[in-house]
Amino acid sequence: MSRQNYLFTSESVSEGHPDKICDRVSDAILDAFLTEEELARVACETFATTDRVIVGGEVGLSSPEKLKDMMGRVESIVRECVKDVGYEQEGFHWKNLTVNNYLHPQSAHIAQGVDNAGAGDQGIMFGYAVNETTDLMPAPIQYSHAILRTLAEARKSGEAAVLGPDSKSQLSVNYVDGKPVGVSSIVLSTQHLDASMTSDDVRAVVEPYIRKTLPDGWISAATEWHVNPTGAFVIGGPDGDAGLTGRKIIVDTYGGAAPHGGGAFSGKDPTKVDRSAAYAARYLAKNVVASGMAERCTIQLSYAIGVAKPLSIYCDTHGTGQVHESEIEKAVAEIMDLTPTGIKDHLQLTRPIYERTAAYGHFGRKPTNDGGFSWEKTDLVEALKKAV
């Protein structure tokens, strides 16, 4: 029997974290290519350090002329991302940094499998959902994201202009009878622009936003606070620590509450099942929970490069299921085409919807009218019920 009373901790990082800047640049470049052509191929990696952003990887468009034109736009895309995040510090400034572009055409050996509608790589992908929050996400990661998003909004609006773009949050959530009921500790490290500020000064700025973000009653007199526990945090972003695309995969997904296949998302077009199949697995798991078939659900999919159909479909409802897992496995294969093409078409993943995913999680977000976060819809509930 699974434990019912325990502490579980998850962390998030802000849009100004060095790794998240890199994720955003990679996804902004992907969006630019998809705006040019829905079938563009992109596998873009970004590295950022003091005064420099380096972009590399493989890309493809239908003509050399289009590709050359797009290459000329990469530098401006990088600068706009850094500007929007808010970096105008001496060591890392959107206007003065150096951009190196090492993108090149996609490998013909990879293209030969993908062009025949096969998967862009082998791999395993996991999706997860749990009824702890209204968005069917684990509470620790969902509220860790929410705190940083709230602080970023306050910073950009001018309400908390003393804060810098780089920050990290961490929540230890107390579970009683398997349900989240409060936080035993809150950790927040945030860059600040006033070097004279102490940890107490920073806490005075951020505490009202944290209290507003967390559910009523979750913070008690026993809750431990650790705000900028090492002291001053003025030098932030890539000026203080190098960043790299794909280095925050647990932050991007479920905060460690569920398995992860190991593949990063950002900078990859939807032929890469690392991304598209992970979105599909989350979509299916969320619909299983939304249908009432289980309180928790993990879905695993596996693929081989150049092969269209998944090699395996696995479901685990962690002892909370109202329907046997084998029936759910059959049902999800029946109601959704889980080939890369089927996933791409069902979730409409060829649109430029990815830059917004780069910070505050790829899951637990609200679907948007332009098709963003389509994998967060619960429109398969009735089809699932009929299938089982």
Side-chain angles (χ1 to χ4, degrees), residues 102-272:
Y102 297 109
L103 292 168
H104 59 88
Q106 184 185 47
S107 161
H109 291 168
I110 292 177
Q112 67 187 354
V114 177
D115 289 343
N116 291 320
D121 201 354
Q122 70 178 53
I124 56 175
M125 299 82 205
F126 289 93
Y128 181 71
V130 62
N131 64 358
E132 293 177 9
T133 64
T134 55
D135 292 310
L136 304 185
M137 283 288 287
I141 187 66
Q142 191 74 340
Y143 287 112
S144 293
H145 288 322
I147 286 170
L148 295 185
R149 195 162 53 242
T150 299
L151 290 174
E153 290 168 356
R155 171 176 63 85
K156 289 184 172 182
S157 72
E159 269 188 23
V162 72
L163 300 181
D166 194 357
S167 59
K168 302 177 75 171
S169 64
Q170 182 174 288
L171 293 181
S172 295
V173 175
N174 185 27
Y175 284 75
V176 175
D177 295 329
K179 302 297 182 183
V181 297
V183 289
S184 65
S185 66
I186 298 168
V187 181
L188 182 83
S189 294
T190 180
Q191 184 184 12
H192 51 94
L193 306 182
D194 182 349
S196 69
M197 293 180 75
T198 66
S199 296
D200 289 339
D201 294 333
V202 176
R203 177 173 171 175
V205 173
V206 302
E207 183 172 344
Y209 296 103
I210 295 173
R211 288 186 177 274
K212 180 177 69 173
T213 302
L214 294 179
D216 289 342
W218 272 36
I219 298 175
S220 70
T223 301
E224 296 181 13
W225 290 75
H226 302 279
V227 177
N228 283 20
T230 62
F233 181 7
V234 176
I235 300 172
D239 191 27
D241 190 12
L244 193 65
T245 298
R247 205 159 54 176
K248 287 291 179 286
I249 58 177
I250 300 302
V251 170
D252 286 342
T253 53
Y254 308 102
H260 195 293
F265 301 156
S266 290
K268 296 178 181 178
D269 73 69
T271 67
K272 280 72 172 176

Side-chain angles (χ1 to χ4, degrees), residues 1-6 296 318:
M1 180 179 291
S2 61
R3 293 179 63 191
Q4 296 296 297
N5 302 321
Y6 55 92
R296 295 171 60 200
H318 307 277

Side-chain angles (χ1 to χ4, degrees), residues 68-87:
K68 181 179 179 181
D69 177 67
M70 188 60 65
M71 291 295 195
R73 294 171 52 193
V74 167
E75 181 172 337
S76 63
I77 292 171
V78 172
R79 294 189 190 280
E80 184 56 38
C81 288
V82 176
K83 180 181 180 181
D84 186 68
V85 168
Y87 277 112

Side-chain angles (χ1 to χ4, degrees), residues 298-381:
T298 299
I299 298 285
Q300 184 205 52
L301 305 172
S302 70
Y303 292 84
I305 188 169
V307 179
K309 290 186 177 181
L311 305 183
S312 66
I313 302 172
Y314 168 78
C315 174
D316 183 0
T317 55
H318 307 277
T320 70
Q322 303 299 312
V323 177
H324 195 277
E325 283 100 335
S326 63
E327 294 300 315
I328 296 175
E329 290 164 0
K330 293 176 185 176
V332 299
E334 178 182 321
I335 65 173
M336 185 175 178
D337 179 354
L338 292 172
T339 65
T341 298
I343 294 169
K344 177 186 66 178
D345 292 345
H346 189 110
L347 297 176
Q348 297 183 283
L349 297 180
T350 57
R351 292 169 295 184
I353 55 174
Y354 297 103
E355 184 178 354
R356 70 194 74 172
T357 69
Y360 314 120
H362 292 244
F363 308 126
R365 311 282 289 273
K366 303 297 183 186
T368 57
N369 292 333
D370 65 352
F373 302 103
S374 59
W375 50 93
E376 290 297 308
K377 293 180 179 180
T378 53
D379 54 358
L380 290 184
V381 166

